Amino acid sequence: VQLVESGGGSVQPGGSLRLSCVGSGFPFNLYGINWVRQVPGKDLEWISIINDRGDDTAYADSVKGRFSVSRDNAKNTVYLQLNSLRIEDTGVYYCATSPWHYPSNRGRGTQVTVSS
């Protein structure tokens, strides 16, 4: 399993980012993909999942209504649209197959920094 995240950056509160996750080395279109994040000083937090077909999604309460996950299996890519960003969304964002808490199932992450 190889997953590579990109799209992170620095934005002001209220801003938006679009993260991408490209998978390789496994049948990407048969796997659900999670997004998790590491916020400074806190445990790894699950924030979203999309199923293999892309027709079922779920979100943590902390991001519901602000973040949106989608996928394009033709491109082996999952996206996470981050809107209405808050300072507390700052952290490293990872995509992962399940179980997501296994480091070997995650990519290296992409940094999101929200500050004024």
Side-chain angles (χ1 to χ4, degrees):
V1 172
Q2 183 172 10
L3 296 165
V4 179
E5 304 91 341
S6 63
S10 295
V11 297
Q12 293 184 337
S16 297
L17 286 171
R18 189 195 197 199
L19 308 183
S20 298
C21 166
V22 178
S24 62
F26 66 104
F28 186 84
N29 62 329
L30 299 182
Y31 280 71
I33 300 293
N34 300 274
W35 283 95
V36 300
R37 67 185 179 186
Q38 183 75 64
V39 175
K42 295 188 177 181
D43 292 336
L44 199 63
E45 177 190 13
W46 175 87
I47 56 175
S48 182
I49 188 170
I50 186 166
N51 72 341
D52 54 348
R53 296 181 303 276
D55 58 4
D56 193 17
T57 59
Y59 301 91
D61 288 345
S62 59
V63 306
K64 196 174 295 183
R66 300 187 299 122
F67 292 7
S68 177
V69 62
S70 61
R71 69 189 296 161
D72 183 345
N73 284 341
K75 296 181 179 180
N76 276 18
T77 302
V78 170
Y79 304 98
L80 186 67
Q81 179 69 40
L82 287 59
N83 296 327
S84 302
L85 281 162
R86 304 168 180 169
I87 291 175
E88 55 264 36
D89 293 318
T90 294
V92 180
Y93 285 69
Y94 302 89
C95 58
T97 55
S98 297
W100 52 264
H101 55 280
Y102 287 1
S104 60
N105 288 350
R106 300 196 296 267
R108 292 192 173 186
T110 185
Q111 176 71 45
V112 171
T113 302
V114 185
S115 67
S116 54

